[in-house]
Amino acid sequence: MIGFILRRAFWAIPTLIFVSLISFIIIQLPPGDYVTAYAAQLRHGGEYITAVQEEAMRQQMGLNDPVLVQYWRWISDIVLHGDFGHSLEWNAPVSTLIWDRLGLTLAISSLSMLFTWAIAIPVGVYSATRQYSVFDYIFTVFGFLGKGIPDFLLALVLMWISFVYLNLNVGGLFSPEFQTAPWSAAKVVDLLVHLWIPILVLATGGAAGLIRVMRANMLDELGKPYVETAYAQGLSEGQVVWNYPVRVALNPFISTVGWALPALFSGDIITAVVLNLPTTGPLLLKALQMQDMYLAGSFILILSVFTIVGTLVSDVLLAWSDPRIRYA
Amino acid sequence: MTASHSMPAERLLDVEDVHVHFPMREGLVKAVNGVSYHVDKGEVLGIVGESGSGKSITARAIMRLLPRNAREAGGCIRFRPRTGEEFELSALERNSRAVRQVRGRHIGMIFQEPMTALSPVHSIGDQICRTIQLHMGFDRQAARKRAAELLARVRMPRPQQMLDNYPHQLSGGMRQRAMIALAISCDPSLLIADEPTTALDVTTEAQILELLKELQAETGMAIVFITHNFGVVADIADRVAVMYLGRVVETATVDDVFYAPKHPYTKALLNSIPRLGVEQGRRLPTIPGMVPDPFSVPAGCSFNPRCAHAVPGVCDVTAPEQHRFANGQAARCHFAEQLAEAVHA
Amino acid sequence: MTDQALDPVATPAPAAAKENLYTARPWTLVWWRFRKHVLAMISLWFLVILAFMAIFADVVAPYNPFGIERLLTFSQPTAVRIVHNGQLTWPFVYALKRERDPVTARVLYEDDFEKPLPIQFFVSGDEYNLLGLFETDIHLFGVDDRRAKINLLGTDGLGRDVFSRLIHGARVTLSAGLVGVAFAFVLGLTLGSISGYFGGWVDASIQRLMEFIRSVPTIPLWMGLAAALPIAWDPVFVYVLITLILALIGWTHLARVVRGQFFAIRDEDYVMAARLAGASEYRIITKHMLPAMTSYIIAALTLAVPEMILGETALSFLGLGLRPPVVSWGVLLQDAQNLRSISLAPWLLSPGVAVVLTVLAFNFLGDGLRDAADPYGQ
């Protein structure tokens, strides 16, 4: 088991290098470089620097070095000093901007993942064991709708409904009066009032797909002989279903955790923009629109790293739950 | 048909005129069409038939494990285990408490595919312990001990270690042994073995048959042994029921079936077994035609289009009744008596 | 004995339909199975009609998608009625009266019950160039009145007809989906079949590459790549690049399907039989393997289209994909980004409904195709 984890962790390393390269390429993609952007920003503020000064800055910052050297400098700063570079837009080190937002993103993503599972597993099992029942049809329709409705549209509609019919001012995670207030019971309540829409939106989107996966897996498993064996032992239906086929059907499910995580981050970005949440999404979008590439690249890098770690965790979980993989 | 008359004292299982239908888009399939047989305490009943003859479905009707799309259309199944209480299985719901008490506790079942009949994500020990704990009220420790004993009884090497192994780590024969250990874990009065050796190679098959015979002799449990292989039946069974298209066409002791078959189908089947010592160059007789498709079972005796002795106007008009013989043999054929004489002549 | 064995003793003469079933060609069988799938058939019709509407958008749309109408901003959808003064008549609409809410001073539009305008077909209206062939001004439907308009889905903040914009947007969004899938198909088929055919280290490295791409969160990557495109570029060029970006990430799924099929079929006994019969490698691939795979690939392609459409919509919605003046459903939804405009004019969400319906239709169609393509299915 330990060997398996180590082997998997080892495999994650090239992936990490790959995504860091991609992130760096994205930083480099827009025409011009940091100095051009900096000069443009200064011009905007009414100051000027000469082409010679620009060149000197480039020399000083090493922007004329080969790309690989620059990449090495960037990545080693991150790994060794936690220095993600400098955000032009905010005129601050990137690292000071991202961590609390990342924390919120992670919190919302993992909460919605829990909700997704809490919805998808029982519903999927129910749908499969009561195939073609009324609720099975209802859940199937729900699954299709959830697949067809983009997250941001669901967020928009929910926001609209709660605004027009429930008279709630959603959007954001806190009401204005709590925005900067220190943590208190009232602030937590306020947070919960605001939190349900993003969680609902993210969980519905995810659950719709997972219900279908779970149902299909369960239907496959329910037809297998070992289920009949379990019944032939005199176990009740509940004991049989939850101990045997669900255990097996969960395996492909667990392996999707690794993919659910990037999907959640992705969904979170658009939902967060629509709902105006103080998570990574809106900041990343703004950074991209302003071509604040160090900030954007850092976000993409960190989100990708989370994803890879998520995949690793799901692989380990899978090995833990399925002996066939553990001993393979 | 009703449960009014009581079962004889030596009787363990009584299957009477059981019908199971499957409504399909193409029509109604009468998979089991009036099957009757019985099993006495401690006896081995072999059930022989081609695929689709309804032998497995009947077994599942006994276990109340019919597929969900199956419709039960009458019949009575009664069961009296060694403990003495009597169950009318045919009246019990699929998931009722009483049936769950019978399954695993009084009737054990072995399946055809040892590869897939054990849960891939639980260890052998876990699977056996669960059954023991469920029915015998043992605690975890005692159940594990018993499970190890059971594995030893089915001649598993290193039983203590095997408890923690997973099915995919075992060979086919070992898995079937584990399956047998699971089935006999609560000392059932009856073991239903549904083609337990079909998926195994011949050597392993012989070992498993040997094991079943030993276990049967040790524990005195009865076995219903379902197979399509007459050779296997000859090896293990005391009595034989031959099935064709959802009906039992002939029942007899194993010797009578082999030496004095009374039904043309049994005869034809036996004739089509290759054997040593028959003159060389002779073509092996086969049964003409194919098993009719289940939506259009022939009228009259369902075997009549393939029967060498069929008489037009009789066999293709009325379904034959069961003819009983003095030696306990019974055959569903209009001409069972004449056929019997012809054989003896 | 042999004669008898050949004689289908037990099988009563099968109906002609059954005979047909045994002799039908594979594609006919697929079609028969597909036809039984009601939802998939409905989806197919829906998509065919949508495609026609998109191709002939200029004809179907009653107005120019860019036609600004200052005096008709945020007007609600026009109701098509058939009862005027208690009498059943030819479908008509009422002209709109412009009024101001006395309290909020907001502009309101009300039906002018004095002026019924019958809906007419093939009316002349704005001029356009039909598919680059000839100039014409015929529109499928409209009302014959210079002042009044028929806005089936209302108008936006500049008084542009949302229905016309929706139809024109369908062109861009649908074609972006199809072009994206085409790119992804070429990439996926090439790499997938290379991977499946050669196996070994080639397969392993392509597999790794695919895992890498899959393990990167899609939307941030899309956003990053899309944001890197200069704003000043020609919209058409941006459009091609956006579809390419969608395809660059979307091909992995297709490659997986192709490779999986390749592996599965390579080990099938009938391929082995063909090999034993001395068929050449080329013949095995083209005559034995590809026909078995095409239906699966078509199904996978169909299921990939909605992903692309959703991707385009999301990117454009965020302002990172296509930008005005290009009209796509994602661009149209930008108008519905804030609560104010949605609560004022909920019909601005109609492109979203179009997205949902189209995505669902493609999903149903793909599912139906996949089921129909499975030779062992019911």
Side-chain angles (χ1 to χ4, degrees):
Chain A
M1 191 69 190
I2 305 262
F4 177 86
I5 295 175
L6 285 179
R7 208 162 52 239
R8 277 285 147 176
F10 178 74
W11 266 116
I13 293 172
T15 318
L16 284 171
I17 296 173
F18 181 80
V19 294
S20 67
L21 256 173
I22 292 271
S23 311
F24 189 71
I25 290 171
I26 286 174
I27 293 177
Q28 295 290 315
L29 261 184
D33 55 23
Y34 182 82
V35 175
T36 333
Y38 181 65
Q41 202 192 19
L42 284 182
R43 253 198 308 285
H44 208 71
E47 291 175 53
Y48 289 94
I49 51 173
T50 61
V52 180
Q53 278 173 307
E54 275 187 36
E55 199 47 45
M57 271 184 81
R58 283 207 179 90
Q59 205 65 45
Q60 190 198 342
M61 300 175 83
L63 294 179
N64 290 333
D65 296 343
V67 177
L68 272 178
V69 175
Q70 291 193 45
Y71 164 73
W72 177 249
R73 197 178 304 131
W74 177 72
I75 195 73
S76 53
D77 271 351
I78 290 176
V79 175
L80 299 177
H81 312 295
D83 175 10
F84 285 85
H86 193 85
S87 160
L88 271 183
E89 178 69 19
W90 296 76
N91 199 14
V94 168
S95 49
T96 58
L97 291 171
I98 46 180
W99 289 116
D100 44 335
R101 282 185 178 245
L102 270 175
L104 264 178
T105 303
L106 212 58
I108 289 185
S109 295
S110 28
L111 256 181
S112 27
M113 182 124 96
L114 279 183
F115 268 90
T116 310
W117 280 52
I119 300 169
I121 296 177
V123 169
V125 171
Y126 178 90
S127 264
T129 47
R130 302 272 179 277
Q131 202 188 359
Y132 304 131
S133 66
V134 178
F135 279 104
D136 180 30
Y137 278 117
I138 292 176
F139 290 134
T140 307
V141 169
F142 167 77
F144 270 115
L145 278 181
K147 206 174 167 191
I149 300 179
D151 280 349
F152 67 88
L153 199 65
L154 190 64
L156 272 177
V157 170
L158 276 179
M159 209 162 74
W160 174 50
I161 289 175
S162 53
F163 177 71
V164 174
Y165 296 100
L166 305 177
N167 223 352
L168 282 174
N169 186 13
V170 287
L173 277 186
F174 304 102
S175 306
E177 62 268 30
F178 289 109
Q179 205 75 269
T180 51
W183 283 100
S184 62
K187 186 169 178 174
V188 172
V189 171
D190 185 58
L191 176 68
L192 290 180
V193 169
H194 285 84
L195 203 57
W196 70 272
I197 288 203
I199 300 277
L200 185 67
V201 168
L202 290 171
T204 334
L210 284 181
I211 286 174
R212 271 166 55 103
V213 174
M214 190 67 198
R215 178 173 180 273
N217 289 348
M218 277 300 288
L219 283 179
D220 274 359
E221 293 304 325
L222 281 173
K224 298 227 171 122
Y226 72 87
V227 177
E228 194 174 30
T229 309
Y231 274 116
Q233 301 314 310
L235 298 168
S236 71
E237 189 178 358
Q239 284 170 316
V240 170
V241 169
W242 286 99
N243 279 313
Y244 291 86
V246 170
R247 268 291 303 276
V248 186
L250 272 180
N251 287 341
F253 209 76
I254 291 173
S255 67
T256 61
V257 180
W259 297 339
L261 219 58
L264 273 175
F265 284 143
S266 304
D268 166 77
I269 286 173
I270 303 184
T271 313
V273 170
V274 172
L275 294 175
N276 191 21
L277 304 179
T279 56
T280 46
L283 196 62
L284 172 60
L285 179 66
K286 201 144 173 251
L288 286 169
Q289 281 167 339
M290 293 295 154
Q291 304 212 327
D292 187 355
M293 293 323 268
Y294 276 102
L295 186 54
S298 309
F299 267 136
I300 293 177
L301 176 67
I302 292 173
L303 289 182
S304 309
V305 169
F306 275 152
T307 310
I308 292 165
V309 172
T311 318
L312 188 68
V313 169
S314 80
D315 278 352
V316 171
L317 277 178
L318 192 59
W320 168 73
S321 85
D322 191 342
R324 287 170 297 182
I325 293 176
R326 205 182 318 158
Y327 294 105
Chain B
M1 187 80 67
T2 52
S4 54
H5 58 278
S6 63
M7 291 198 283
E10 76 281 4
R11 197 56 49 86
L12 182 69
L13 174 77
D14 216 347
V15 176
E16 229 181 285
D17 197 30
V18 167
H19 294 256
V20 181
H21 298 171
F22 290 86
M24 310 277 267
R25 208 177 307 163
E26 295 88 342
L28 191 70
V29 176
K30 297 181 176 174
V32 176
N33 195 7
V35 165
S36 305
Y37 57 70
H38 65 88
V39 183
D40 287 336
K41 288 184 176 145
E43 106 180 308
V44 179
L45 174 70
I47 297 184
V48 193
E50 293 167 71
S51 15
S53 59
K55 48 196 197 306
S56 291
I57 296 292
T58 316
R60 281 171 179 63
I62 297 170
M63 288 297 269
R64 317 308 295 157
L65 280 175
L66 288 169
R68 286 185 196 280
N69 57 339
R71 299 275 165 277
E72 275 185 276
C76 177
I77 302 169
R78 277 175 301 157
F79 175 66
R80 185 168 56 205
R82 283 184 286 215
T83 45
E85 70 251 69
E86 196 174 317
F87 297 92
E88 191 178 338
L89 292 176
S90 48
L92 297 177
E93 282 293 314
R94 184 189 161 93
N95 280 316
S96 65
R97 197 168 289 275
V99 161
R100 298 209 310 263
Q101 209 186 331
V102 172
R103 285 185 203 146
R105 172 76 190 86
H106 296 303
I107 308 182
M109 191 156 178
I110 316 172
F111 297 91
Q112 179 176 350
E113 287 286 341
M115 306 294 157
T116 49
L118 290 167
S119 163
V121 294
H122 296 87
S123 66
I124 305 287
D126 278 352
Q127 297 186 48
I128 299 177
C129 285
R130 188 182 288 277
T131 307
I132 297 173
Q133 284 176 296
L134 180 73
H135 292 297
M136 305 180 83
F138 283 21
D139 64 11
R140 177 101 198 128
Q141 213 63 41
R144 225 179 128 76
K145 191 156 161 283
R146 180 169 169 85
E149 286 165 17
L150 284 164
L151 288 180
R153 251 169 81 192
V154 297
R155 319 276 183 273
M156 278 276 234
R158 293 170 288 114
Q160 204 62 43
Q161 262 170 284
M162 279 299 166
L163 287 177
D164 295 317
N165 277 14
Y166 290 90
H168 71 273
Q169 295 169 302
L170 309 183
S171 68
M174 299 262 261
R175 283 185 218 188
Q176 199 57 293
R177 283 171 198 270
M179 186 76 231
I180 294 171
L182 179 62
I184 61 165
S185 57
C186 300
D187 281 327
S189 311
L190 175 66
L191 180 70
I192 299 180
D194 186 2
E195 309 217 22
T197 57
T198 309
L200 304 175
D201 61 69
V202 185
T203 339
T204 322
E205 172 172 45
Q207 291 169 355
I208 295 289
L209 287 179
E210 208 48 49
L211 173 67
L212 282 175
K213 279 195 279 189
E214 282 173 33
L215 288 173
Q216 197 264 338
E218 271 173 44
T219 62
M221 66 181 171
I223 299 181
V224 172
F225 197 99
I226 300 169
T227 177
H228 58 251
N229 187 337
F230 258 116
V232 171
V233 164
D235 192 6
I236 194 165
D238 302 320
R239 273 190 319 121
V240 179
V242 181
M243 285 185 69
Y244 183 73
L245 279 184
R247 281 201 177 89
V248 175
V249 291
E250 177 160 8
T251 12
T253 62
V254 74
D255 288 343
D256 286 337
V257 159
F258 279 93
Y259 298 114
K262 299 289 191 294
H263 194 283
Y265 177 62
T266 318
K267 257 177 69 173
L269 270 184
L270 287 168
N271 277 337
S272 59
I273 299 173
R275 57 192 91 201
L276 292 173
V278 183
E279 57 184 296
Q280 293 206 341
R282 198 183 67 114
R283 221 177 162 147
L284 186 68
T286 56
I287 304 181
M290 302 212 298
V291 182
D293 87 276
F295 306 107
S296 41
V297 174
C301 171
S302 52
F303 187 60
N304 84 76
R306 307 173 72 187
C307 182
H309 306 274
V311 176
V314 182
C315 293
D316 53 358
V317 178
T318 43
E321 283 300 307
Q322 180 122 311
H323 286 255
R324 289 193 175 280
F325 294 86
N327 60 357
Q329 201 166 357
R332 245 177 219 282
C333 177
H334 293 293
F335 305 103
E337 317 269 350
Q338 290 99 305
L339 218 62
E341 284 156 27
V343 167
H344 288 293
Chain C
M1 181 105 340
T2 340
D3 289 349
Q4 274 173 308
L6 284 175
D7 187 17
V9 192
T11 346
K18 217 169 183 180
E19 192 65 31
N20 258 337
L21 192 68
Y22 291 129
T23 56
R25 298 167 57 83
W27 281 108
T28 323
L29 280 177
V30 168
W31 171 240
W32 283 350
R33 277 195 296 259
F34 180 77
R35 239 180 5 192
K36 279 194 219 150
H37 217 291
V38 180
L39 266 176
M41 277 307 277
I42 296 173
S43 304
L44 182 64
W45 278 111
F46 172 79
L47 289 173
V48 166
I49 293 170
L50 189 67
F52 265 98
M53 283 178 32
I55 293 170
F56 298 102
D58 294 307
V59 186
V60 177
Y63 305 106
N64 180 345
F66 307 108
I68 292 172
E69 197 71 49
R70 291 259 171 247
L71 293 179
L72 206 63
T73 57
F74 289 130
S75 84
Q76 71 272 32
T78 326
V80 176
R81 299 159 194 268
I82 48 171
V83 179
H84 179 55
N85 287 342
Q87 273 184 318
L88 208 60
T89 48
W90 175 257
F92 68 96
V93 298
Y94 286 119
L96 291 180
K97 278 190 298 199
R98 206 177 131 89
E99 278 167 16
R100 257 182 209 283
D101 188 309
V103 187
T104 59
R106 222 181 98 187
V107 176
L108 293 176
Y109 300 94
E110 285 189 356
D111 286 334
D112 182 354
F113 293 108
E114 303 302 310
K115 272 176 82 177
L117 299 166
I119 292 176
Q120 292 177 327
F121 289 98
F122 300 107
V123 292
S124 50
D126 303 321
E127 288 210 348
Y128 59 90
N129 195 325
L130 184 67
L131 304 176
L133 296 176
F134 51 87
E135 296 279 330
T136 174
D137 63 352
I138 298 298
H139 292 266
L140 183 62
F141 67 94
V143 287
D144 198 8
D145 187 303
R146 277 286 140 208
R147 306 263 307 281
K149 294 211 162 189
I150 171 169
N151 300 117
L152 287 182
L153 294 173
T155 62
D156 66 5
L158 293 174
R160 294 174 293 197
D161 180 35
V162 173
F163 179 72
S164 301
R165 288 172 70 73
L166 186 72
I167 299 290
H168 280 271
R171 245 184 199 182
V172 176
T173 299
L174 287 182
S175 65
L178 294 176
V179 173
V181 165
F183 280 136
F185 172 65
V186 173
L187 264 174
L189 192 68
T190 321
L191 289 174
S193 47
I194 288 176
S195 189
Y197 190 79
F198 289 105
W201 69 268
V202 180
D203 177 45
S205 43
I206 291 179
Q207 282 305 299
R208 277 281 100 73
L209 178 68
M210 280 164 46
E211 267 177 41
F212 289 151
I213 294 180
R214 289 183 78 92
S215 65
V216 178
T218 9
I219 303 250
L221 194 57
W222 274 342
M223 285 167 63
L225 291 171
L229 304 178
I231 302 172
W233 284 1
D234 182 36
V236 179
F237 194 52
V238 171
Y239 164 82
V240 173
L241 280 180
I242 291 285
T243 51
L244 201 61
I245 289 172
L246 294 179
L248 268 181
I249 295 160
W251 66 273
T252 51
H253 178 70
L254 281 172
R256 241 165 49 107
V257 173
V258 172
R259 173 178 171 275
Q261 283 290 311
F262 241 98
F263 271 121
I265 295 177
R266 205 176 54 177
D267 294 342
E268 289 277 338
D269 286 345
Y270 75 90
V271 172
M272 178 58 86
R275 199 160 279 147
L276 289 177
S280 70
E281 214 50 25
Y282 174 78
R283 192 184 160 80
I284 289 173
I285 291 179
T286 53
K287 293 276 172 192
H288 296 272
M289 291 173 73
L290 274 182
M293 288 165 59
T294 29
S295 47
Y296 287 96
I297 293 174
I298 290 173
L301 282 178
T302 315
L303 289 172
V305 177
E307 297 295 319
M308 298 283 170
I309 290 179
L310 284 177
E312 185 277 324
T313 313
L315 279 185
S316 303
F317 176 76
L318 291 177
L320 291 172
L322 305 172
R323 299 185 176 95
V326 176
V327 185
S328 82
W329 289 346
V331 173
L332 288 180
L333 278 173
Q334 282 184 343
D335 291 340
Q337 222 166 22
N338 56 59
L339 258 185
R340 209 185 67 85
S341 39
I342 305 178
S343 43
L344 190 65
W347 51 89
L348 289 181
L349 281 174
S350 56
V353 177
V355 170
V356 174
L357 288 180
T358 311
V359 167
L360 284 181
F362 271 111
N363 272 321
F364 286 135
L365 181 67
D367 280 355
L369 281 175
R370 195 175 46 195
D371 291 352
D374 182 4
Y376 302 108
Q378 287 277 306

